[in-house]
Amino acid sequence: MSGRPEHQAPPEIFYGEDEARKYTRNTRMIEIQLVMSERAVELLCLPESQPCHIIDLGCGSGLSGETLTEQGHIWTGVDISSAMLGVAKEREVEGDLLLGDLGQGLPFRAGAFDGAISISALQWLCNSDQKSHNPAKRLYIFFSSLYSCLSRGSRAVFQFYPENSSQVELITSQAMKAGFTGGLVVDYPNSTKAKKFFLCLMTGGQQPLPAALGVDSREDTPNCVVFSQKRDRVKQLRTGKAPKKSRDWILEKKERRRRQGKETREDSKFTGRKRQSHVW
Amino acid sequence: MKLLTHNILTSKCLKGVTVGYPLGIVAKEVKVNEVEFNPEFISRMIQKVDWPALCKAAENLGHSDDLPPAVMDDYENNEEFLKKAHHFLMEIEVINGDLICPETGRKFPVTDGIPNMLANEDEV
């Protein structure tokens, strides 16, 4: 089994046509990306109910961008893989897309954006994909251009997969050199599966970092992200149907049967009543 | 590429470029979409937008009718102005064409609505 994607090929080659399609069809992948995107937007601490202008760094096929749209923001996405951007176009995402290499710097005017997010992209900048690439230099060019195109007081949140602590060190040192303050927020630090790294960078001077999830060692701390359940509830309400097996569901089903002309028992006070469990 | 995006794009990542703004546009295909009007967002963006650059871009595209030549005073409360700004910033899209660096003349092609800002190794 091959190891980390960034060791196999540069991102524009790894995310070719086939991989781009696979990535965007894999429901588990989609779910994980959506959860991480929502968490990243949460960590951005944007002003309440105000539509903001956000840049999505390494936007890929637009999965994270859709979260931004859902929350009412206007976004622009940059990615190095034209195959991934092609998928984003097919999915008709709202954000404007740009083909570009983050390590060459962001080609935007000063103060253009109110915030930046990046999901599962930053680790790709740590590798030399070409002889002339110097990761530290590319990271510095990236962070300093990002710093300048963010308006004062705005933040950049990066969810990424660091290979080791020296990579984290490399990334944070270049970010600090570029003028950012902030640091790493690690959600679910004690779970191998759920552990997620978020680099939270700020432009407005040192501020306290947001609290990480799943840090209490109490029994009742969930070992997964809490609001994934919230999404299901919202989905349920949106479909307008009652949850399975509840009394409402049973009554609806009986109504459906009557409309189909099937023989159905009359409804009574006993319909859908909770039964006492028996030992047979 | 919407005109809002064009308004914030520069070529300053290229070697030897000082400002790199605004980028010229030569468009072969332009589309006009319908985009939901968000007055709060437009109002805030107008503060960041370089209005003369927007006018020049709209002119290059041949879509400059009805675009006010300058930002009006008290624009936050002028819904008609905001709606016009919205139309030009968010509803006009360049599908195919080129963006041109004002200092080096270097072209950045736009294909299927996506500008290619990738620079060659010797350009950065």
Side-chain angles (χ1 to χ4, degrees):
Chain A
M1 231 268 276
S2 41
R4 295 172 64 92
E6 0 18 306
H7 291 311
Q8 292 175 45
E12 65 273 26
I13 296 181
F14 183 86
Y15 290 110
E17 301 272 344
D18 290 336
E19 187 63 35
R21 280 199 196 287
K22 254 201 296 173
Y23 192 95
T24 323
R25 288 220 184 112
N26 182 330
T27 39
R28 192 173 152 271
M29 174 68 77
I30 292 173
E31 184 59 36
I32 295 174
Q33 294 283 312
L34 287 176
V35 168
M36 295 195 298
S37 306
E38 286 182 356
R39 175 63 172 147
V41 178
E42 194 177 74
L43 291 169
L44 266 183
C45 298
L46 294 168
E48 275 280 322
S49 42
Q50 202 183 95
C52 294
H53 193 212
I54 311 288
I55 176 141
D56 187 340
L57 303 157
C59 64
S61 49
L63 289 174
S64 41
E66 284 178 332
T67 303
L68 291 167
T69 298
E70 232 172 78
Q71 307 226 1
H73 301 302
I74 313 292
W75 59 279
T76 298
V78 181
D79 203 277
I80 200 172
S81 160
S82 38
M84 287 290 252
L85 291 176
V87 176
K89 265 274 176 259
E90 264 174 46
R91 296 172 68 237
E92 296 188 344
V93 297
E94 292 289 327
D96 253 12
L97 304 168
L98 289 153
L99 180 64
D101 180 352
L102 298 180
Q104 291 182 346
L106 296 175
F108 300 108
R109 263 201 296 138
F113 296 102
D114 305 320
I117 64 164
S118 176
I119 306 296
S120 312
L122 196 55
Q123 68 273 2
W124 286 95
L125 273 178
C126 297
N127 298 273
S128 293
D129 295 316
Q130 292 176 43
K131 248 204 201 139
S132 52
H133 279 186
N134 172 338
K137 188 163 169 225
R138 282 167 55 81
L139 280 164
Y140 178 72
I141 291 173
F142 166 62
F143 282 122
S144 52
S145 59
L146 176 62
Y147 188 85
S148 94
C149 75
L150 284 173
S151 57
R152 274 319 123 241
S154 41
R155 299 185 183 201
V157 176
F158 298 81
Q159 178 281 322
F160 71 115
Y161 297 105
E163 195 175 347
N164 48 45
S165 52
S166 52
Q167 221 182 54
V168 177
E169 185 49 48
L170 172 65
I171 290 172
T172 34
S173 62
Q174 297 308 312
M176 299 302 138
K177 236 165 110 186
F180 284 108
T181 52
L184 211 58
V185 173
V186 185
D187 286 346
Y188 307 103
N190 304 313
S191 158
T192 340
K193 209 170 150 204
K195 190 173 186 179
K196 290 288 181 281
F197 293 86
F198 291 89
L199 178 66
C200 298
L201 299 177
M202 302 162 201
T203 57
Q206 191 64 57
Q207 284 154 72
L209 279 179
L213 296 174
V215 168
D216 292 330
S217 49
R218 292 192 317 236
E219 294 293 314
D220 55 345
T221 310
N223 66 347
C224 65
V225 181
V226 174
F227 42 69
S228 52
Q229 288 152 9
K230 188 164 83 178
R231 280 177 63 83
D232 290 331
R233 247 191 289 132
V234 174
K235 201 177 18 171
Q236 243 168 14
L237 296 168
R238 256 191 253 145
T239 58
K241 289 195 202 149
K244 276 217 165 128
K245 308 300 180 197
S246 63
R247 187 164 184 274
D248 290 327
W249 179 86
I250 292 174
L251 290 171
E252 274 169 31
K253 176 142 191 199
K254 290 176 82 175
E255 235 346 278
R256 252 179 277 142
R257 284 178 61 93
R258 287 190 195 105
R259 289 198 293 263
Q260 290 170 350
K262 292 185 183 161
E263 208 183 292
T264 316
R265 290 276 216 139
E266 288 292 314
D267 294 334
S268 74
K269 64 177 178 182
F270 299 110
T271 308
R273 186 191 62 151
K274 253 190 138 70
R275 268 55 171 174
Q276 296 275 25
S277 53
H278 280 78
V279 176
W280 296 102
Chain B
M1 179 197 63
K2 301 188 174 83
L3 287 186
L4 173 63
T5 305
H6 167 263
N7 200 270
I8 56 170
L9 265 179
T10 73
S11 54
K12 64 182 180 186
C13 298
L14 294 179
K15 225 193 284 185
V17 172
T18 346
V19 177
Y21 183 84
L23 298 174
I25 319 181
V26 169
K28 296 180 206 119
E29 194 188 329
V30 177
K31 207 168 101 182
V32 180
N33 305 307
E34 215 180 284
V35 176
E36 201 183 317
F37 174 54
N38 192 327
E40 214 194 316
F41 178 76
I42 294 296
S43 197
R44 280 184 39 246
M45 282 296 110
I46 289 175
Q47 291 166 37
K48 300 190 205 229
V49 163
D50 181 318
W51 200 264
L54 176 65
C55 291
K56 193 147 164 251
E59 222 180 283
N60 283 348
L61 298 183
H63 276 256
S64 55
D65 307 332
D66 216 27
L67 176 62
V71 180
M72 291 186 179
D73 296 322
D74 195 38
Y75 62 84
E76 302 104 321
N77 300 311
N78 187 334
E79 180 156 331
E80 206 195 307
F81 180 82
L82 290 178
K83 281 214 167 116
K84 286 193 184 156
H86 165 81
H87 173 72
F88 284 93
L89 287 169
M90 308 295 287
E91 296 189 325
I92 300 179
E93 206 187 332
V94 177
I95 304 294
N96 285 302
D98 287 293
L99 299 174
I100 304 156
C101 170
E103 290 171 40
T104 62
R106 204 266 204 202
K107 289 194 182 156
F108 297 97
V110 181
T111 321
D112 196 24
I114 302 177
N116 182 342
M117 307 303 291
L118 287 171
N120 304 319
E121 280 310 308
D122 56 351
E123 283 179 309
V124 288

